[in-house]
Amino acid sequence: MRLLLVEDEPKVASFIRRALEEESYAVDVCVDGTTGLDWAQGVNYDLIILDLMLPGLPGLQLLRQLRAAGVKTPVLILTARSEVDQRVKGLDAGADDYLTKPFAIEELIARARALFRRASGTPTGTLQVDDLVLNPVTREVTRAGQRIELTAKEYALLEYLMRNAGRVLTRPMITEHVWDLDFDTFTNVIDVYISYLRNKIDRGRENSLIQTVRGSGYMIRADS
Amino acid sequence: MKNASIRIRLTLWYGVALGLILVIFAGVIYVVMSKAMQDEVDASLEEAAAVAVRTLGEHRFGPFLIFEDLSQDFPELALLDKFFQIFGPAGQVTIQSANIQSREIPLSQTAFQASLNGQATFESVRFDQGVPFRLLSVPIRHGERLVNILRVGTSLQPTVDMLDRLLLALLIASPLAVIVSLLGGWFLAGRALRPVDSITHAAQRIAAGDLTQRITAPRSTDEIGRLASTFNDMIARLEVSFRQIRLFSADASHELRTPLTITKGETELALRRPRGAEDYRKVLESNLEEIDRMSRIVDELLFLSRADLGEIKLKQVPIQLDDLLRDVQQQALVLGKDRQVETVVKEISPMMVSGDELRLRELFLNLIDNAIKYSHPGDTVEMSLVPNGEKGEFIVKDQGIGISLEDQPRIFDRFYRTDSARSHSTKGTGLGLSICKWIVETHKGAIRVQSMPNQGSSFTVLLPLSPSIP
Ligand SMILES: Nc1ncnc2c1ncn2[C@@H]1O[C@H](COP(=O)(O)OP(=O)(O)OP(=O)(O)O)[C@@H](O)[C@H]1O
Ligand SMILES: [Mg+2]
């Protein structure tokens, strides 16, 4: 899951980014509205977290332009004002949710998760492929009832694959959604992480869930 | 009466006043009229008496006069609406005119006595049927001797009838006039008071919190019109200051929310899982910075709100301004070193002002701090202090980011920071210049800015000089 955070106050941006990265999300940070709009249109993000008070382009305007350009990425707005009309305006402009500063970090994470869930259309929250189950809230992964321990990146990769179960995911798509902008696309990091995942999930089992689609990418699917 | 509306009270006062005036007026008319009519009756009686006396004189005076003879000789006597009686010297009737019919009208004691003394007497009498009469008794003397008493009388009935009709007319017309005037007064008072009602309604809506309301009374220059426009002006001013307060508190809460968000977020993040000592130290350091920022905002806000309420008393002592500036420059050197900005004093002349040293130091420091903060590394900040007529002129000039023309009038507003300032330096609350402006104004001075984006800014402070002590 890859997020764009548009926030001009560096310290606020910094702790939000660290918190989300601890949840294995890839986070890009932008400090002004104009670049924020560019990035939001250029990269296929899974979620945009948007501060409303921004230099350059105010958050509300950014949001309207984004929606006008047909970008449907879920947007969570952060406002410093608790006044109702700010929130209403934000939601009217096409935001999916809002948080008022100061907020609890757990709440931000929970809301982000809820927005991903809504976008991928799995209301219960747990993702399942055959006997492999992933719970995004507890970040617990089990196969046939057995717990599997994953590192943060492995988990992020698996969550992305499972949210798009049955679909072929190309390497650029995986990079875009699991790694952030600092990621060097020329390495074979994805292949390495896929092999880590295979080791932990498919090794010694009857049917392998993670499949390589020759020439294009990877896919997770129940029947082999 | 106390709770009755002004409209009712005005109308009633109006009616009562008019009623009183009418009563007095009618009374006076009635009295004057009845007096005039009585005088007229008396005058006609005197005239008739004179005619009769002359007639009698042409006859002969004596106790036995034959009225038939008289009336034959003077037919006009019988035609008059008056009756005649001629009494003998002892007061007994000798002759009386026919139109007196069978009525007994004896000579009164007073009239007889007056006649003996040679005086005429007017009397008003009323007989059994209630018909009032006016009588004139005139003595006729021959030398010193009373020969006859002539009495002329006339009925007062026509006069009484006239007066009765007058009274009736007054009694009917006066209440009518009062009723008409009450109706007119009610109508006029209602018309005059209608704008007051609209003022009341507007005031009620305003009291309910809607300060956009205005009174739509006609823009006349009468009392009500003036009241309405005064009221509108007052509401307009209230609206402006309410908007300012709302904006100010919204800004204040926004400025405080940012450090709160940071301290809360960083602390919660640190507590999510066990971390190394270095991580905790970083969080605590950052939080301390934010706490300092918050206490600065609170201090500055408190200062400004106390200044607004006029609670800050400034000292009025003579200050050697050039010494003060040299002192501040030492601090500026340290500030500048941190950002690799050079601070130089170009020109400095000795001068005295009267004021509060602490505040003036704050003023200089705020302006110099801004100049350094909004400069690029390697830039120079110049200061000068020179006399300019009756004033002392302090100038801080930098080569920094500058301020656009649209932003220039707003930088003295509380919490206002330009976008370029925000991205250049995140530190700052936007209260510094508001405080500077307040300090300058309380010292009866002026502050101006000249600036071009990306070229630099120059802030000028003018302070009135106090006459130097020799
Ligand atoms: N010398 C300068 N050059 C460019 N911009 C300036 C300068 N001085 C003031 N400004 C602009 O005016 C704004 C208001 O200044 P002010 O001193 O009130 O606030 P601040 O410096 O941002 O914060 P602080 O309250 O900490 O002083 C600044 O944010 C900046 O945009
Ligand atoms: Mg300042």
Side-chain angles (χ1 to χ4, degrees):
Chain A
M1 298 289 105
R2 181 153 165 205
L3 297 93
L4 173 64
L5 172 61
V6 193
E7 164 68 67
D8 65 324
E9 179 66 43
K11 279 187 169 183
V12 176
S14 155
F15 83 76
I16 293 180
R17 186 173 74 199
R18 278 180 282 141
L20 292 170
E21 280 173 352
E22 281 187 12
E23 292 295 301
S24 320
Y25 300 130
V27 183
D28 298 331
V29 178
C30 221
V31 294
D32 71 294
T34 337
T35 3
L37 184 60
D38 284 352
W39 288 14
Q41 284 176 307
V43 182
N44 191 5
Y45 287 105
D46 298 293
L47 174 67
I48 298 169
I49 299 177
L50 178 66
D51 183 27
L52 285 188
M53 285 269 284
L54 287 172
L57 189 65
L60 272 181
Q61 234 159 296
L62 188 159
L63 184 52
R64 286 201 194 95
Q65 291 185 23
L66 199 64
R67 292 300 186 227
V71 177
K72 296 204 176 59
T73 315
V75 171
L76 171 68
I77 50 176
L78 301 178
T79 91
R81 308 228 166 131
S82 49
E83 281 116 36
V84 181
D85 73 302
Q86 279 280 316
R87 287 178 257 162
V88 171
K89 270 189 200 148
L91 294 175
D92 280 350
D96 299 84
D97 204 351
Y98 68 85
L99 268 180
T100 307
K101 289 180 184 176
F103 49 82
I105 199 81
E106 296 302 337
E107 190 172 3
L108 177 75
I109 292 166
R111 298 231 186 170
R113 206 154 41 216
L115 287 174
F116 290 142
R117 199 157 62 220
R118 218 190 288 166
S120 62
T122 46
T124 52
T126 54
L127 305 169
Q128 186 161 11
V129 175
D130 198 27
D131 55 355
L132 176 67
V133 178
L134 180 146
N135 184 338
V137 181
T138 57
R139 295 154 56 77
E140 224 174 52
V141 179
T142 57
R143 178 133 198 217
Q146 257 181 304
R147 245 189 108 149
I148 298 170
E149 295 299 331
L150 295 177
T151 67
K153 261 285 118 41
E154 288 163 4
Y155 172 85
L157 179 58
L158 182 63
E159 185 182 346
Y160 181 59
L161 287 172
M162 287 182 78
R163 279 196 193 277
N164 297 283
R167 280 171 53 197
V168 180
L169 302 171
T170 62
R171 281 185 186 80
M173 281 166 81
I174 294 173
T175 339
E176 230 182 51
H177 287 274
V178 181
W179 276 269
D180 57 36
L181 276 184
D182 304 327
F183 176 67
D184 182 356
T185 40
F186 296 107
T187 63
N188 61 346
V189 166
I190 295 174
D191 302 329
V192 172
Y193 273 95
I194 290 284
S195 74
Y196 288 163
L197 268 185
R198 278 200 169 122
N199 266 341
K200 293 189 177 175
I201 290 168
D202 289 339
R203 194 158 174 191
R205 314 254 176 193
E206 273 169 31
N207 53 341
S208 301
L209 297 177
I210 300 171
Q211 288 154 25
T212 311
V213 182
R214 203 160 298 281
S216 31
Y218 299 98
M219 169 167 79
I220 196 163
R221 201 170 56 174
D223 56 309
S224 50
Chain B
M1 201 65 189
K2 224 177 183 174
N3 293 321
S5 78
I6 290 188
R7 186 180 189 184
I8 290 175
R9 272 190 282 170
L10 269 181
T11 311
L12 283 181
W13 275 115
Y14 193 53
V16 167
L18 188 78
L20 267 175
I21 290 171
L22 279 177
V23 165
I24 292 168
F25 183 68
V28 168
I29 283 190
Y30 188 80
V31 168
V32 167
M33 274 302 277
S34 63
K35 178 84 174 68
M37 284 168 86
Q38 187 160 10
D39 285 351
E40 201 178 314
V41 168
D42 289 356
S44 76
L45 283 177
E46 274 172 341
E47 202 179 314
V51 171
V53 169
R54 204 174 354 104
T55 313
L56 286 173
E58 281 164 22
H59 271 261
R60 60 204 152 82
F61 295 107
F64 308 106
L65 280 172
I66 315 306
F67 186 76
E68 280 72 26
D69 299 351
L70 270 176
S71 51
Q72 261 169 18
D73 292 352
F74 303 100
E76 70 263 36
L77 278 179
L79 287 176
L80 293 170
D81 55 344
K82 302 180 175 58
F83 63 82
F84 292 84
Q85 287 176 305
I86 295 170
F87 298 89
Q92 77 285 13
V93 178
T94 48
I95 297 176
Q96 56 186 9
S97 58
N99 55 4
I100 203 164
Q101 291 155 357
S102 58
R103 269 189 223 107
E104 276 288 329
I105 310 177
L107 192 63
S108 71
Q109 199 55 41
T110 22
F112 182 61
Q113 281 303 324
S115 299
L116 285 177
N117 296 331
Q119 282 157 358
T121 320
F122 277 108
E123 285 168 295
S124 292
V125 290
R126 189 177 280 275
F127 298 105
D128 31 317
Q129 295 103 323
V131 185
F133 283 92
R134 184 73 174 162
L135 308 172
L136 171 61
S137 312
V138 183
I140 300 169
R141 288 145 69 106
H142 196 262
E144 279 301 295
R145 197 168 56 90
L146 178 70
V147 191
N148 283 111
I149 299 170
L150 169 74
R151 176 139 91 180
V152 190
T154 187
S155 165
L156 282 176
Q157 198 59 49
T159 318
V160 167
D161 285 351
M162 268 285 267
L163 284 176
D164 281 354
R165 249 175 285 143
L166 175 67
L167 190 64
L168 190 68
L170 289 175
L171 282 181
I172 292 174
S174 300
L176 254 173
V178 170
I179 287 170
V180 168
S181 79
L182 279 178
L183 288 177
W186 177 252
F187 172 73
L188 282 178
R191 247 179 68 136
L193 290 172
R194 199 170 311 139
V196 175
D197 269 351
S198 88
I199 291 174
T200 310
H201 286 307
Q204 275 164 355
R205 287 190 298 264
I206 289 159
D210 182 3
L211 282 174
T212 59
Q213 285 292 332
R214 292 291 181 279
I215 297 160
T216 48
R219 293 238 150 251
S220 54
T221 51
D222 61 11
E223 291 86 342
I224 300 281
R226 285 202 302 272
L227 172 62
S229 69
T230 310
F231 191 82
N232 279 344
D233 290 350
M234 184 185 84
I235 297 307
R237 275 208 300 281
L238 268 183
E239 193 186 359
V240 169
S241 56
F242 260 73
R243 205 185 308 124
Q244 272 170 356
I245 289 171
R246 210 175 299 136
L247 202 71
F248 182 64
S249 55
D251 281 340
S253 82
H254 176 261
E255 292 305 315
L256 284 172
R257 262 168 216 266
T258 307
L260 276 175
T261 308
I262 294 168
T263 43
K264 184 177 166 73
E266 288 184 342
T267 310
E268 280 181 355
L269 182 62
L271 292 174
R272 282 188 95 203
R273 56 191 62 174
R275 293 173 201 276
E278 181 61 15
D279 285 347
Y280 289 128
R281 206 176 59 82
K282 271 191 193 149
V283 170
L284 287 177
E285 268 170 10
S286 160
N287 280 1
L288 190 59
E289 219 176 88
E290 296 308 315
I291 290 165
D292 285 344
R293 175 159 145 194
M294 284 189 271
S295 42
R296 220 188 106 196
I297 295 174
V298 170
D299 281 349
E300 285 173 342
L301 273 180
L302 215 62
F303 175 85
L304 281 170
S305 64
R306 282 180 56 215
D308 285 349
L309 293 174
E311 280 178 4
I312 292 178
K313 295 274 167 291
L314 283 185
K315 289 203 193 96
Q316 282 291 331
V317 292
I319 295 161
Q320 198 69 41
L321 211 55
D322 44 317
D323 286 350
L324 179 63
L325 183 58
R326 278 195 203 92
D327 213 31
V328 171
Q329 198 217 344
Q330 298 306 311
Q331 268 171 283
L333 277 173
V334 180
L335 280 174
K337 212 168 261 164
D338 285 353
R339 293 181 172 257
Q340 292 133 48
V341 176
E342 203 186 338
T343 52
V344 291
V345 172
K346 258 180 71 187
E347 214 185 326
I348 189 159
S349 319
M351 59 182 74
M352 295 277 286
V353 297
S354 142
D356 192 311
E357 180 165 354
L358 217 66
R359 300 294 170 214
L360 289 174
R361 178 188 295 271
E362 196 179 347
L363 166 71
F364 288 162
L365 212 55
N366 265 333
L367 291 176
I368 296 167
D369 174 55
N370 279 351
I372 293 171
K373 196 158 66 174
Y374 302 115
S375 285
H376 310 287
D379 285 352
T380 307
V381 169
E382 289 177 353
M383 296 165 252
S384 64
L385 180 68
V386 288
N388 180 351
E390 304 270 276
K391 310 243 163 143
E393 191 177 63
F394 169 66
I395 301 175
V396 202
K397 201 164 177 302
D398 64 55
Q399 304 162 329
I401 58 171
I403 307 158
S404 72
L405 222 55
E406 307 92 79
D407 282 328
Q408 283 178 21
R410 302 192 56 189
I411 55 171
F412 296 98
D413 290 353
R414 292 170 192 189
F415 293 115
Y416 190 79
R417 303 192 69 210
T418 61
D419 280 352
S420 47
R422 277 173 203 276
S423 41
H424 182 83
S425 155
T426 53
K427 291 218 174 65
T429 53
L431 289 173
L433 283 181
S434 326
I435 293 173
C436 287
K437 190 176 164 216
W438 183 83
I439 294 172
V440 170
E441 279 169 1
T442 47
H443 282 86
K444 300 189 173 56
I447 183 165
R448 284 197 301 261
V449 59
Q450 266 177 314
S451 183
M452 283 270 279
N454 301 320
Q455 308 229 328
S457 320
S458 143
F459 283 81
T460 307
V461 173
L462 287 167
L463 291 172
L465 294 174
S466 56
S468 52
I469 302 141

